[in-house]
Amino acid sequence: MPDDHQNAAPAFLVEGGVRRHGRLPARPVRVNPLDEFTGPSRLLRRLRLKEWAGFTLLHPDLWSSMIIQDAQYLASCEIYAHDRRTGTLHQHAANARGGSPALPEELLDGGHCAFDRPGHRLVYDFAEREGRHTIHVDVAATATAPAMRAELTLDARGAGAPLSVGSLLPGGGRMYTHKAVFPAEGVLRVGSTEYVFEPGRDLAILDEHRSFLPYRTRWLWGTFALPTADGPVGANFADRPELPGEPEESAVWAPGACEPLGEISFTPERPDDPAAPWRIASRDGRLDVVFAPEGRKTVRHRFGLLSIDYFQMYGRYQGVLRAGGADHPLDGVHGVCESMRARL
């Protein structure tokens, strides 16, 4: 329950200049990775800080994700929606000055996270003590995509146990991430099409990241979840360069628990075919799934020494997840899987 999570949470990610590492019982009340540094070092580290907060929405007729991100030199906001019935993908993106989005240090209890530009507004309001969070979307139509509007309420009391991890990365990097699964209720409208979210069926997965990433960064990552009578069940899994002994963000969500996973392998069946399934498994066998893509969102940019080669696939997971001492069969569970290669 949120109150239990909050009571277990440390007050700060960094306290007295000392940063917490490892798997934490909950998100610290205040997360500011810059607090580890002072003076010129803090200024230089700010340029390396990458922050974002996003949601993956899980609905039987829809794949949709959204993100507000701040790379300090540039901020951006993206949202997409893919209709399963028509196979149509619509997406919107906007940029802003670095540092302009509101990505609060104290997020879960009273945090207001916003990207607000004319015609492109995305707002998250967090109210854990009240047992709910909200997502507000108001994006105007463009020449290439219809308007998107949403009012979604997330049930914080019905959330799964949180994933909260801080670790050291190769090349002097540092990672912090917080992830959680919430039952979702409300409406997302894409043009004239309306998607109604029902809290007993539909979910939203929060992904918050505040990290100093190495200049050359790469990862493979995926997530999915499904509701059960006892609470959400799902997984978050990643493969990236890491230091021996450092905790990673891979985990399974079981009712009332978040259990570590490790040594994840991502194996596309046909690497030259972007529509081919991927086999994803943990070494201990608790995660053993096949991901079948139904579409992808691609981002490629080159700005001199900076570059991004990224894609996120959305589709269905099939297989088995062993969590909470039980086997959970997966049959067409919605989720995403992505690849990032960047020079940041």
Side-chain angles (χ1 to χ4, degrees), residues 38-252:
T38 59
S41 177
R42 184 183 177 100
L43 294 175
L44 291 173
R45 282 285 180 168
R46 178 178 290 278
L47 298 175
R48 304 296 310 150
L49 181 61
K50 306 295 179 285
E51 301 178 292
W52 64 80
F55 286 94
T56 297
L57 304 181
L58 305 179
H59 182 284
D61 298 325
L62 173 78
W63 279 284
S64 181
S65 290
M66 64 190 74
I67 191 168
I68 299 171
Q69 48 196 346
D70 190 357
Q72 308 309 316
Y73 51 82
L74 179 70
S76 61
C77 181
E78 300 175 20
I79 182 171
Y80 73 80
H82 173 102
D83 188 295
R84 277 198 72 192
R85 296 162 295 188
T86 65
T88 305
L89 171 66
H90 296 299
Q91 51 189 328
H92 290 279
N95 295 326
R97 174 181 51 82
S100 59
L103 291 168
E105 298 174 13
E106 298 184 19
L107 186 71
L108 296 181
D109 194 15
H112 175 78
C113 185
F115 184 99
D116 195 352
R117 295 199 58 189
H120 195 110
R121 186 168 187 261
L122 190 62
V123 178
Y124 316 141
D125 282 308
F126 296 87
E128 189 163 74
R129 291 182 189 274
E130 298 174 18
R132 59 177 172 78
H133 309 310
T134 58
I135 299 172
H136 175 81
V137 178
D138 189 359
V139 179
T142 67
T144 58
M148 294 187 189
R149 293 183 172 84
E151 293 287 347
L152 299 175
T153 300
L154 311 184
D155 180 5
R157 293 194 172 95
L163 170 65
S164 185
V165 180
S167 63
L168 300 175
L169 299 175
R174 288 160 169 77
M175 179 195 76
Y176 174 76
T177 189
H178 173 82
K179 295 176 169 66
V181 186
F182 303 94
E185 181 177 15
V187 177
L188 169 64
R189 296 177 181 85
V190 181
S192 60
T193 304
E194 187 174 276
Y195 305 92
V196 178
F197 283 72
E198 301 174 6
R201 181 194 65 188
D202 304 322
L203 300 169
I205 304 177
L206 168 65
D207 180 0
E208 179 197 14
H209 223 84
R210 297 172 187 259
S211 300
F212 304 111
L213 299 176
Y215 170 65
R216 295 186 182 275
T217 289
R218 67 172 178 84
W219 67 70
L220 295 169
W221 171 83
T223 191
F224 63 82
L226 69 156
T228 74
D230 298 317
V233 168
N236 181 88
F237 36 92
D239 177 25
R240 60 158 56 88
E242 57 188 74
L243 296 174
E246 285 294 311
E248 252 297 347
E249 65 174 83
S250 299
V252 295

